[in-house]
């Protein structure tokens, strides 16, 4: 029985490590990324790049952010705006602030960069770094993505 459990465990571990990007769809992009990494990390390849010369960059292109329906940073600001409006409804002094508090993302998007900046100015101004970090941490501890219901961290 022990041998069977060991074989099953090794098979499961091999399967888990055989796909370096298990959450990616099987498509040309995934294959190209894996092939690239294989080429630049193989010392026998003409494309080999020494570890000391390797640089990794990450772009905010959706691979790292939960961006649908909107970036969670905006959801944080909107939730903060709603909390602030409970204490002082007069804070909703513009169309974009009212739209944000109502969850009307189309109206917020229509307000463009200026609308987004107004929301952030309203919800973030006057906070010390420590206050902001405490509020963001408290929000992250309880917030869930509106569609997936998963935590943001």
């Amino acid at each position: 029985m022990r041998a069977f459990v060991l074989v099953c465990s090794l098979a499961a571990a091999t399967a888990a490590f055989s796909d370096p990007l298990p959450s990616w769809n099987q498509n040309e992009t995934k294959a190209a990324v894996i092939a690239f990494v294989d080429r630049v990390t193989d010392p026998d390849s003409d494309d080999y790049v020494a570890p000391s010369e390797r640089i990794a960059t990450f772009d905010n292109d959706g691979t790292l952010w939960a961006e649908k329906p909107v970036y969670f940073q905006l959801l944080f600001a909107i939730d903060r705006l709603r909390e602030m409006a409970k204490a002082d409804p007069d804070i909703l002094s513009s169309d974009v602030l009212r739209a944000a508090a109502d969850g009307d993302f189309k109206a917020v998007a229509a307000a463009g960069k200026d609308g987004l900046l107004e929301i952030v100015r309203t919800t973030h101004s006057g906070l010390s770094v420590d206050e902001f970090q405490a509020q963001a941490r408290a929000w992250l501890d309880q917030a869930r993505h509106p569609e997936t219901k998963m935590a943001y961290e």
Side-chain angles (χ1 to χ4, degrees):
M1 182 64 167
R2 267 178 146 177
F4 176 73
V5 170
L6 178 62
V7 168
C8 289
S9 297
L10 288 173
T14 301
F17 289 113
S18 65
D19 186 350
L21 301 171
S23 65
W24 286 38
N25 293 328
Q26 296 294 337
N27 58 31
E28 290 179 24
T29 302
K30 178 177 178 175
V33 168
I34 292 170
F36 170 78
V37 171
D38 286 345
R39 279 194 323 276
V40 299
T41 58
D42 178 0
D44 296 328
S45 168
D46 290 339
D47 297 323
Y48 178 71
V49 177
S52 62
E53 299 297 317
R54 296 177 193 163
I55 299 171
T57 61
F58 297 94
D59 188 8
N60 294 329
D61 63 357
T63 58
L64 302 178
W65 286 16
E67 63 184 23
K68 294 182 180 181
V70 295
Y71 293 120
F72 72 88
Q73 292 86 342
L74 178 59
L75 295 174
F76 167 69
I78 290 172
D79 283 352
R80 180 156 161 67
L81 180 66
R82 289 176 180 146
E83 286 298 313
M84 294 170 74
K86 284 180 189 175
D88 179 12
D90 292 337
I91 199 165
L92 303 178
S93 59
S94 72
D95 290 341
V96 72
L97 294 176
R98 285 187 291 279
D102 288 340
D104 184 350
F105 297 125
K106 284 186 180 183
V108 170
K113 181 176 75 171
D114 290 338
L116 293 174
L117 289 173
E118 182 177 356
I119 294 167
V120 171
R121 264 193 314 271
T122 301
T123 58
H124 293 48
S125 292
L127 294 175
S128 70
V129 171
D130 290 339
E131 289 169 326
F132 176 82
Q133 288 176 339
Q135 288 182 6
R137 173 58 45 210
W139 183 81
L140 282 170
D141 287 344
Q142 58 84 30
R144 297 291 178 265
H145 189 276
E147 291 177 7
T148 66
K149 307 303 181 213
M150 295 185 70
Y152 288 106
E153 35 176 11

